[in-house]
Amino acid sequence: MLNYSKFMGSKLPLVAAINLIVLPITSVYAVEVSSLNQNQSSVMDALNQCYDNHNSFLAIPSIESFDVEEIPSPTQTPSVCQDYRIGDLQSLTPDQVFSMGSMSTRINGGQNVVPYDHFGANSKRKVGGGSGDADFSALSFWGKVDSGFGSHGNTALNLAGFKFDNHNFMAGADYRISDRWVTGANFNYRRSNATFNAGRGETAGDSYTGGLYTSYFITDALHVDATATYGGMDYETSRNITFGSNSSVARAAPSADQYAFSWGGGYDFNFQALSVAPYVRGEYTGLNIDGYRETGSLAAVQFGKQNIESLISTVGVQTAYSFSFPWGVLIPQLRGEWHHQYLDGRRTVTGSFVADTSGSTFTLANDAPSRDYYTFGAEVSTVLPGGVSAFLAYETLQGYRYVDSNRLMLGGRLEF
């Protein structure tokens, strides 16, 4: 930093004054910055503006009337605005903010909120012969657990990559109003965690969601389905920050609410024990993340509210073959889906450093999503006497840029 006192009490020649004041500052920013990405450059601009705003002596309204005795004393400059180095900008740039939306609309986008074919899983039409071929009662209770894991790599904008794991518990009950119409309700709890590359921190979240669903068989083969869900999310974010000689952890606990609707239908082609079922589905998701402010660090930041929308179409086909045994029916299944994203796009969020009261802001942007991607899965289900059924499934997400995602699911149903 400059020593202002040595200027006081004397008048300097104009050229010498400008050299003494400007050159030490410009030399700091003459460092090569071509390796910075767009977001890091925006943060650097905000830090420089913060420094200038808190040191108003740099704004000389008239060079002709320049007089060092008229230089005002600088206001207290936040340390993050004056102590950072170019190499600190990756740590200072809070691009982890995008992970909350990415987990909801990209990594989990297009995945049905209940197991595929859940509504018809207990239908006599699909069971085939054998001891599992019993009449089914009107009321059923079911549950499933699943765990997803994978990674989101560094993107074209060099956004922070992360490894993630999701653990989900869902339970529900449905009632068969008639032989063709089933309706029900479910509750879902999800625990998610994203750990950022290079030790940059993590984002964890708990979500609680309630939903309604229905399925109607227009004919023995043609059916339509619909779901509606709403819930809340509580996040915990932590960012490991280093600038100058300062190391700290910035923490925040933002909340969000999410609502989603899905609708679709399918047709079942049955060839004795073999069935081939093409289907289509649409899914709309709205995610509203409250504004939040970090604490615990001199480089803490604050963001306003984020609103994210997603509209995904899914075209898929599932094949199943029923094997009958004295103890029940075993049904292996294969599934493939093509997803297309219509609404979610490249997003921007505006933030500022909490310590900077001068009004300087920065704008961060994420990469656009993949418009087309695919899901492939395999499942084994069984139908047992007494109205008991269970399934074990695996699925993988393919063709989504920077994302590697896999999921294991286990569930069961009990009828009364």
Side-chain angles (χ1 to χ4, degrees):
M1 294 301 298
L2 294 175
N3 184 356
Y4 315 115
S5 62
K6 67 180 180 181
F7 296 131
M8 303 306 169
S10 63
K11 291 189 177 182
L12 302 176
L14 177 61
V15 175
I18 294 177
N19 285 341
L20 286 172
I21 295 175
V22 176
L23 288 182
I25 298 172
T26 57
S27 65
V28 174
Y29 302 108
V31 178
E32 178 63 49
V33 295
S34 61
S35 61
L36 298 180
N37 62 41
Q38 172 184 323
N39 293 330
Q40 293 165 356
S41 295
S42 180
V43 169
M44 182 181 70
D45 291 342
L47 292 171
N48 293 346
Q49 186 63 51
C50 164
Y51 183 88
D52 291 348
N53 290 344
H54 286 274
N55 294 272
S56 56
F57 73 99
L58 293 176
I60 304 173
S62 175
I63 293 180
E64 291 78 5
S65 62
F66 173 75
D67 189 334
V68 294
E69 293 182 349
E70 298 176 359
I71 298 177
S73 299
T75 59
Q76 182 64 40
T77 305
S79 60
V80 67
C81 302
Q82 61 183 347
D83 294 340
Y84 83 93
R85 304 181 182 91
I86 298 298
D88 298 330
L89 285 168
Q90 183 185 43
S91 178
L92 290 170
T93 302
D95 50 15
Q96 298 98 321
V97 65
F98 292 112
S99 66
M100 291 178 282
S102 295
M103 293 290 286
S104 293
T105 62
R106 298 187 178 183
I107 292 175
N108 297 320
Q111 297 179 352
N112 201 5
V113 295
V114 294
Y116 173 72
D117 201 33
H118 167 76
F119 307 121
N122 63 346
S123 172
K124 291 183 292 183
R125 303 178 182 91
K126 298 187 178 182
V127 172
S131 63
D133 217 6
D135 289 335
F136 291 87
S137 60
L139 180 63
S140 298
F141 293 91
W142 58 270
K144 83 177 184 83
V145 293
D146 69 62
S147 292
F149 54 93
S151 62
H152 192 300
N154 294 334
T155 70
L157 290 178
N158 290 323
L159 295 185
F162 55 88
K163 295 181 179 180
F164 65 86
D165 58 89
N166 301 316
H167 305 285
N168 190 65
F169 171 77
M170 179 180 289
D174 52 51
Y175 186 80
R176 185 178 295 277
I177 298 174
S178 69
D179 186 52
R180 297 187 180 276
W181 188 12
V182 177
T183 188
N186 64 277
F187 172 79
N188 180 63
Y189 166 74
R190 177 187 293 269
R191 174 68 177 181
S192 61
N193 186 75
T195 303
F196 295 96
N197 298 343
R200 297 186 59 197
E202 65 179 359
T203 295
D206 295 293
S207 66
Y208 308 86
T209 305
L212 301 173
Y213 58 87
T214 189
S215 181
Y216 184 79
F217 277 82
I218 300 172
T219 69
D220 286 351
L222 178 64
H223 62 93
V224 292
D225 310 316
T227 70
T229 64
Y230 178 82
M233 301 182 180
D234 296 316
Y235 295 103
E236 296 177 354
T237 69
S238 62
R239 293 192 303 121
N240 300 324
I241 303 174
T242 300
F243 70 93
S245 59
N246 298 282
S247 294
S248 57
V249 179
R251 304 182 186 277
S255 298
D257 63 276
Q258 177 175 299
Y259 50 94
F261 307 94
S262 72
W263 56 94
Y267 192 92
D268 303 335
F269 296 93
N270 296 304
F271 308 96
Q272 295 183 348
L274 174 67
S275 67
V276 179
Y279 57 92
V280 296
R281 185 173 67 246
E283 179 186 285
Y284 172 83
T285 301
L287 176 65
N288 302 313
I289 304 173
D290 295 338
Y292 65 93
R293 172 182 293 196
E294 294 178 327
T295 60
S297 173
L298 296 173
V301 298
Q302 54 192 354
F303 290 104
K305 189 173 184 178
Q306 302 176 60
N307 299 304
I308 305 168
E309 290 185 298
S310 170
L311 178 61
I312 298 173
S313 65
T314 296
V315 178
V317 62
Q318 176 167 288
T319 62
Y321 195 92
S322 299
F323 294 93
S324 295
F325 299 96
W327 48 264
V329 179
L330 186 68
I331 312 172
Q333 303 173 59
L334 295 175
R335 175 170 55 88
E337 296 179 339
W338 163 52
H339 311 282
H340 182 80
Q341 172 64 257
Y342 295 91
L343 280 184
D344 187 23
R346 187 180 183 187
R347 296 190 291 115
T348 59
V349 295
T350 300
S352 62
F353 287 93
V354 175
D356 177 20
T357 59
S358 68
S360 303
T361 62
F362 53 83
T363 300
L364 307 181
N366 70 344
D367 292 87
S370 294
R371 291 297 171 193
D372 296 282
Y373 54 99
Y374 309 91
T375 300
F376 300 100
E379 177 179 323
V380 176
S381 58
T382 183
V383 179
L384 303 173
V388 177
S389 59
F391 76 93
L392 175 66
Y394 165 81
E395 71 175 26
T396 178
L397 180 66
Q398 298 293 321
Y400 206 114
R401 291 191 306 273
Y402 315 117
V403 175
D404 176 28
S405 178
N406 301 275
R407 189 162 66 140
L408 290 170
M409 294 164 280
L410 174 66
R413 165 185 288 269
L414 180 62
E415 301 180 353
F416 294 91

